């Protein structure tokens, strides 16, 4: 009923933690058995270790939060040697999120991470600013995103999912460009760019000034984008943005997602992923659905074609 | 470290905008060190203004036999405001105990400890003082508050050891800063919790004796997974280069991390 | 302390209802004295009457709502003859929001509406799809928005504020384009495009499928955009998006707004505008601020230059 | 039409998932017609799931002398779920009374009225029946429910006039649809409130006598300002071409607007 098969990913259920909200699994592993999860998306890996941004790095917003962690991570090699062995002890596919400031960073990181037997797929985080191109984000120009995707595909030993930024005028153009360039799947969405200002200090709350908006607040934007994109591409979508319940998971499937990731909600309820996984079968039964795959894109697929 | 619904057993205003909250549940039996904290999901009241993230609050003291925690907090924003509206009988989603607290064993048997607290940095020192005096350690407290109306727990601390109160405006106790009295105290180990400028000042004064400081940072997860709370180590050669306040701290040996 | 002077608008305070959330004032006028308001932005006027979209037209989201009213309005002439006389009875500047599907619609509507003595300024809603350009929004292509702005400016008897859509990759480019084209001010932001799906019917909740996301959920996005744009343009910004308290108003000023509009919050608390206006002086006093104009852009203006 | 904090005076489960809520406040003294409604801001409970918009609920009956309103609602989603958790003594932000209700005076003195209700469309008919019988009008009620466990207020309606109960499954009263019994009733004016298919069926059957129907639409403001609830008039020549369910309705003369 919950099994899902995507390029490189045979999942016992479609629910995974989102990148950056679960580190490399150890902390949550002390709270529950990670084997319950459909997959695990690990924190963004960069070629070299990064400390990230100064604090404060998070701020609360109505039904959401802002973060500007700044891709803190110990670097690809350390991740492979120090972090992945822990996850190798579980029977859960690992998706490695990779990031960089230049194309060559991404390519080298992709090559290293995809070579690890623990990693089943890469998730290309194209929301990072491209230092060589004057800080413009890789994820806002279709041609740049396509070029990056093609280069990473060329070296990756595993399927590549491209994680789209929602901060664009035309999300369909972005999706089509990376599909054309060889992406095996899409992850949608990354955070919306936002800011909060502290009335007392009169300065932005985050040391980095702007941050990424996540949580339930952004769910309607994510649902809209997945609804639009899923009708225009032929690769599967891992949906995310504000998921906090089994009902939300179903809404994402109806919009066009084939799996989902849970980010911010892990901070609010550390047991949320297993809770959602346990609630899903009952919710599907109540809707008369015997296979969650039947729901993919049902909000736009014609009514008579089952799972069409 | 568990997540559970704890039951409010008492909610008392103990100073201007400062509340003492008692919570009953299993978490009270799991606390291992004074200075650990809990991460609380404060119930919302109105649809347009509800806290999303949990709020970290230090454990002031713990009564494992009665499965009861005491927290002391100041109302500063939405979450603490809503927390102050909870009444006995209500349930609150609490995650804890979290973090590493004050190392009680650093004080040699028969030794003396100094505690320096400011404002709502004072509460965890109370649990610490209890743990130390239980071990027969002699304790001195130097506690700073803004003004008369902000003072709490003076009698409770005085019952455990010498207690010097400072106020910024001199409306109660001595006028001035807590650092003024450090030189007068005799101690083997010092512990500090309070606002950043106070911690920095204390760290500048106490350079010869072991000092442990408790830090605050905005938090996401509260247990090491999101890196919201990462601070640089002072030692540039440190193999990681950073510590997470939520799980490597909130208490650090002075000089281990940059105070920020 | 609260007086604000913007092109065409001398406001006793900087708080006004946002377009589409206050109709033409009559309904709220039965609840409180509209003279308390800084200004009133009336519902979008089009050249001819429009019925708008089928229902359901609204849906709730976490800390927000979606709407797809579809610009229902009785048309410019009817508004002038039937609706504006009521507002003429108040001593409150009226801002006329105008919309259209082609440049010529906008131009004719602008000409008519700006000629009314009751109207002190126009607000150009460029989030509408341009039928002649295959449905692309006027507000997503800087050149198109600039051309529209210039044409409307050419016929308008009153200052023109351009209301920017947040659904773009580069909001600064949009703002600069319309400033260059002669805009007297900016309104930011219009709604984010979003969607909700009904689990029971498996279809989008809104008959129009997608809708505009408003309310507190979008405030961090609006604050970020105003922060970015206000540093790059020399025309004032009317800020909006999720405002529901005097604190929110102050946050908008710090970000760079010179006045604010309240939309969705009117539905939740019909008395919210006067409440905010009455709370503002106390909040400013508590912050040691004697003139709200001193706060404009203070989150980015250098600390030693007062009101610089 | 005012906004005020009303106090919950009673909350009673009266059928499967159906609650009767009593509220005390000034709004109860301002109701002018049966069939008007209130727009309620339901208090949130948890930060992640809180209603934002108000919820429209019909006034079932009103006791102006005791400043009390009675509402009956079914738990269908978040807002109604949270509403059902409110207890006596709690305050709820209510905006009302709103809209135009059932025209009581349409029935000639000494005449007879027919009321047709389905599910949670039944409640406002109770206040209407009270108002009509107060005027000496003879009333007949045809009320449809899904099943035995969904029925409420049968005795209350029966005390005012003849009451025919239908259930979809025949578990109580007659099995079938409310329209089956319309032909058996004698009446001068008919009033209907219930789900859309029922309203359409009733409108198809009652073509010769005056009929008034109460409609539902998703609402924003609830009092005419946002046009969320606009429906087309049936008459294409109508000068406006639309009506707002919240303020021109929710009750319309059958045929005035398109049922949708
Ligand atoms: C380990 C630790 C222990 C603490 N112990 C206590 C205590 O015992 N008593 C007490 O009164 N306060 C304590 N604090 C501070 C307390 O967490 C904040 O005062 C509280 O979170 C403010 O929430 P709010 O919603 O009222 O304020 P808001 O300003 O509305 O909060 C907005 C966001 O910022 C965060 N935030 C605001 N101030 C702080 C802060 N100083 N530290 C961390 N996050 C903050 C909130 O958690 C929330 O996510 C502690 C903080 C930490 C990190
Ligand atoms: C004039 C009027 C009178 C009503 N009177 C009653 C009554 O007496 N008893 C009763 O049980 N119900 C009544 N309803 C329906 C009631 O408003 C909805 O059941 C309720 O709003 C559902 O809220 P929810 O949060 O539980 O559901 P959700 O589905 O979670 O609500 C989501 C959003 O949709 C709106 N919504 C959902 N269903 C409806 C609906 N049927 N009509 C309008 N908006 C809806 C909600 O208000 C909310 O904004 C009435 C509706 C209207 C328009
Ligand atoms: C604290 C935090 C850190 C994140 N780090 C990353 C990251 O390293 N790489 C990435 O692609 N996305 C990152 N994200 C984005 C999430 O993976 C996810 O796309 C986004 O938060 C939306 O989902 P949510 O609303 O469920 O949180 C991060 C989000 C948060 C809140
Ligand atoms: C029901 C509704 C109708 C709206 N109609 C218009 C409109 O006609 N013209 C316009 O420019 N903006 C319109 N808006 C957008 C608002 O003016 C405002 O820009 C937006 O809602 C953000 O503010 P808020 O979060 O305070 O609602 C509408 C918004 C809502 C909720
Ligand atoms: S708060 Fe998440 S790592 Fe410390
Ligand atoms: S609900 Fe706003 S006009 Fe009817």
């Amino acid at each position: 009923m919950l099994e899902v098969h995507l390029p490189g990913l045979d999942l016992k259920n479609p629910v995974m933690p989102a990148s950056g909200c679960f580190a490399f699994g150890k902390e949550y592993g002390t709270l529950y058995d990670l084997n319950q999860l459909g997959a695990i998306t690990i924190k963004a890996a960069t070629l070299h270790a990064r400390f990230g941004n100064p604090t404060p790095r998070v701020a609360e917003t109505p039904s959401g939060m802002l973060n500007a962690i700044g891709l803190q991570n110990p670097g690809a090699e350390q991740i492979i040697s120090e972090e992945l062995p822990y996850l190798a002890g579980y029977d859960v596919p690992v998706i490695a999120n990779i990031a960089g400031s230049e194309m060559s960073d991404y390519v080298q990181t992709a090559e290293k991470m995809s070579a690890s037997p623990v990693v089943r797929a890469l998730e290309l985080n194209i929301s990072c600013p491209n230092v060589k191109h004057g800080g413009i984000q890789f994820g806002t120009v279709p041609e740049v995103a396509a070029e990056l995707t093609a280069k990473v595909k060329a070296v990756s030993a595993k399927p590549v999912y491209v994680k789209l930024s929602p901060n664009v005028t035309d999300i369909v153009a972005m999706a089509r460009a990376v599909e054309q360039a060889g992406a095996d799947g899409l992850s949608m969405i990354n955070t919306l760019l936002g800011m909060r200002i502290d009335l007392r200090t009169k300065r932005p709350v985050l040391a980095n000034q702007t941050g990424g908006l996540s949580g339930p607040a952004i769910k309607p934007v994510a649902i809209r984008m997945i609804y639009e994109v899923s009708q225009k591409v032929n690769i599967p979508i891992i949906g995310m943005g504000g998921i906090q319940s089994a009902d939300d998971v179903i809404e994402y499937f109806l919009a066009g997602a084939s799996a989902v990731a849970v980010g911010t909600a892990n901070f609010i309820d550390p047991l949320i992923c297993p809770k959602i996984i346990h609630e899903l079968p009952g919710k599907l039964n109540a809707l008369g659905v015997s296979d969650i795959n039947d729901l993919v894109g049902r909000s736009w697929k014609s009514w008579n074609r089952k799972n069409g | 470290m568990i997540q559970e619904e704890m039951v409010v057993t008492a909610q008392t205003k103990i100073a201007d905008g400062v509340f003492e909250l008692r919570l009953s549940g299993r978490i009270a039996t799991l606390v291992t060190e004074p200075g650990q904290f809990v991460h609380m999901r404060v119930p919302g009241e109105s649809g347009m203004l509800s806290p999303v993230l949990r709020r970290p609050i230090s454990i002031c003291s713990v009564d494992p036999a009665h499965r009861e925690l005491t927290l002391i907090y100041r109302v500063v924003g939405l979450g603490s405001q809503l927390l102050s509206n909870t009444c006995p009988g209500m349930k609150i989603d609490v995650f804890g105990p979290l973090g590493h607290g004050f190392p009680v064993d650093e004080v040699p048997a028969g030794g003396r400890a100094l505690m320096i607290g400011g404002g709502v940095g004072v509460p965890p020192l109370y649990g610490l003082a209890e743990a130390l005096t239980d071990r027969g350690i002699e304790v001195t407290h130097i506690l700073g508050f803004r003004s008369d109306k902000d003072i709490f727990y003076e009698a409770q601390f005085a019952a455990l050891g010498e207690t010097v109160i400072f106020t910024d405006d001199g409306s109660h106790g001595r006028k001035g800063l807590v650092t003024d009295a450090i030189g007068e105290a005799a101690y083997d180990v010092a512990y500090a919790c309070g606002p950043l400028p106070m911690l920095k000042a204390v760290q500048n004064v106490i350079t010869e004796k072991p000092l442990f400081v408790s830090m605050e940072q905005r938090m996401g997860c509260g247990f090491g997974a999101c890196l919201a709370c990462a601070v640089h180590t002072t030692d540039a050669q440190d193999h990681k280069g950073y510590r997470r306040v939520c799980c490597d701290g909130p208490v650090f040996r002075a000089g281990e991390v940059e105070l920020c």
Side-chain angles (χ1 to χ4, degrees), chain A, chain B:
Chain A
M1 165 175 239
L2 295 182
E3 247 176 68
V4 162
H5 300 279
L6 308 179
L9 302 169
D10 291 318
L11 313 180
K12 49 178 123 38
N13 68 67
V15 181
M16 64 189 84
S19 179
C21 303
F22 209 75
F24 302 100
K26 264 181 204 146
E27 294 77 16
Y28 286 92
T30 65
L31 290 179
Y32 60 84
D33 179 0
L34 302 185
N35 277 325
Q36 297 170 82
L37 298 170
I40 293 176
T41 319
I42 57 175
K43 188 156 177 46
T46 52
L47 192 54
H48 304 294
R50 288 179 58 140
F51 175 73
N53 294 320
T55 57
R57 291 176 169 188
V58 295
E60 189 176 73
T61 71
S63 294
M65 69 178 280
L66 292 167
N67 89 81
I69 306 294
L71 297 176
Q72 177 165 15
N73 81 98
E77 278 168 18
Q78 271 257 224
I79 292 174
I80 291 167
S81 64
E82 307 288 313
E83 306 288 353
L84 294 187
Y86 173 80
L87 290 174
Y90 289 96
D91 179 28
V92 179
V94 170
I95 302 173
N97 184 281
I98 64 171
S101 322
E102 298 174 25
M103 298 247 180
S104 61
D105 297 348
Y106 273 101
V107 171
Q108 290 177 64
T109 312
E111 195 164 6
K112 279 186 213 286
M113 295 301 296
S114 69
S116 160
V118 184
V119 170
R120 303 288 177 81
L122 296 185
E123 183 177 63
L124 204 60
N125 176 355
I126 59 172
S127 300
C128 314
N130 183 346
V131 291
K132 281 254 177 87
H133 284 66
I136 194 185
Q137 281 187 14
F138 287 96
T140 56
V141 183
E143 296 71 33
V144 178
E147 188 188 340
L148 180 64
T149 305
K151 287 198 167 141
V152 165
K153 268 301 283 183
V155 300
S156 176
K158 306 285 162 62
V160 175
Y161 290 74
V162 179
K163 183 161 180 179
L164 302 184
S165 160
N167 303 294
V168 297
T169 308
D170 188 348
I171 192 76
V172 171
M174 290 300 312
R176 279 181 159 153
V178 302
E179 179 184 35
Q180 213 84 51
D184 299 284
L186 301 171
S187 290
M188 301 177 61
I189 58 176
N190 215 317
T191 52
L192 281 165
L193 214 50
M195 175 184 264
R196 263 198 59 190
I197 298 171
D198 185 314
L199 300 196
R200 223 175 20 79
T201 65
K202 302 194 178 65
R203 309 288 299 165
V205 171
L206 300 178
N208 187 53
Q209 306 183 350
T210 62
L213 181 63
S214 63
I218 70 168
K219 198 183 72 168
V221 175
I223 292 284
R224 186 264 297 181
M225 289 187 165
I226 292 169
Y227 177 86
E228 288 175 352
V229 167
S230 62
Q231 298 181 53
K232 296 294 167 66
V233 300
N234 293 304
I235 48 178
I237 299 172
I238 303 174
M240 67 200 75
I243 294 178
Q244 57 173 336
S245 69
D247 281 352
D248 290 338
V249 173
I250 294 170
E251 190 175 354
Y252 269 84
F253 269 74
L254 292 171
S258 297
V260 296
V262 178
T264 304
N266 289 292
F267 307 152
I268 294 143
D269 179 350
L271 300 168
I272 192 73
C273 285
K275 276 185 193 161
I276 290 175
I277 292 164
H278 292 135
E279 274 176 19
L280 257 181
K283 292 283 186 179
L284 293 173
N285 278 331
L287 291 171
V289 175
S290 59
D291 182 349
I292 194 163
N293 296 285
D294 290 349
L295 292 178
V296 179
R298 272 293 291 279
S299 66
W300 51 264
K301 281 180 184 165
S302 81
W303 283 94
N304 26 24
R305 276 192 302 148
K306 193 198 164 210
N307 192 22
Chain B
M1 178 175 75
I2 60 166
Q3 179 199 4
E4 67 171 340
E5 300 264 305
M6 296 189 83
V7 179
V8 177
T9 50
Q11 172 87 267
T12 322
K13 187 168 175 178
I14 57 171
D16 187 34
V18 177
F19 292 79
E20 181 196 65
L21 176 70
R22 295 226 157 97
L23 294 170
S24 165
R26 198 153 74 83
I27 289 174
T29 67
L30 304 174
V31 179
T32 54
E33 277 175 338
Q36 289 185 297
F37 69 99
V38 291
H39 214 25
M40 314 178 67
R41 191 166 173 191
V42 183
E45 281 187 345
S46 120
M48 295 292 275
L49 273 177
S50 283
V52 175
L53 297 173
R54 289 173 180 269
R55 300 298 195 256
I57 302 286
S58 296
I59 297 167
C60 168
S61 65
V62 56
D63 180 350
H66 297 90
R67 298 164 57 90
E68 204 172 58
L69 290 181
T70 300
L71 314 178
I72 292 177
Y73 63 94
R74 177 187 296 284
V75 171
V76 295
L78 176 66
S80 45
Q81 176 66 58
L82 289 171
L83 188 59
S84 73
N85 294 348
T86 57
C87 313
M90 286 174 71
K91 287 181 177 160
I92 302 183
D93 175 346
V94 183
F95 182 39
L98 300 172
H100 286 95
F102 296 104
V104 174
D105 296 339
E106 285 282 325
V107 191
R112 286 173 297 193
L114 175 64
M115 270 154 277
I116 306 153
V120 286
V122 167
L125 298 179
Y126 183 67
L128 173 61
E130 285 186 318
L132 289 167
T133 49
D134 277 355
R135 279 191 56 230
I137 308 291
E138 191 180 308
V139 293
T140 304
H141 317 103
I142 309 178
L143 309 177
F145 297 93
R146 275 179 298 193
S147 183
D148 201 11
K149 66 184 186 340
D150 303 304
I151 298 171
F152 55 87
Y153 266 40
E154 183 178 4
Q156 284 90 329
F157 276 101
L160 298 178
E162 189 190 341
T163 302
V164 185
I165 303 284
F166 277 87
T167 50
D168 296 349
D169 61 2
S171 52
H172 187 100
R174 285 163 66 171
K175 174 170 175 157
L177 303 172
V178 288
T179 39
D180 298 346
I182 293 175
E184 305 157 16
Y187 59 95
D188 300 300
V189 178
Y191 302 93
C193 186
L196 201 60
M198 184 201 96
L199 295 183
K200 286 185 175 166
V202 169
Q203 192 168 300
N204 286 337
V205 171
I206 302 184
T207 51
E208 311 282 304
K209 302 258 176 78
L211 167 66
F212 295 88
V213 298
S214 181
M215 288 181 67
E216 284 187 7
Q217 276 296 341
R218 300 218 168 200
M219 291 183 177
C221 66
F223 75 122
C226 73
L227 299 183
C229 63
V231 291
H232 278 289
T233 50
T234 312
D235 175 4
Q237 305 306 312
D238 182 84
H239 78 294
K240 277 175 70 181
Y242 71 93
R243 296 289 182 276
R244 293 162 298 182
V245 169
C246 66
C247 59
D248 300 320
V251 175
F252 296 97
R253 186 181 289 269
E256 183 177 358
V257 296
E258 284 178 8
L259 292 184
C260 64

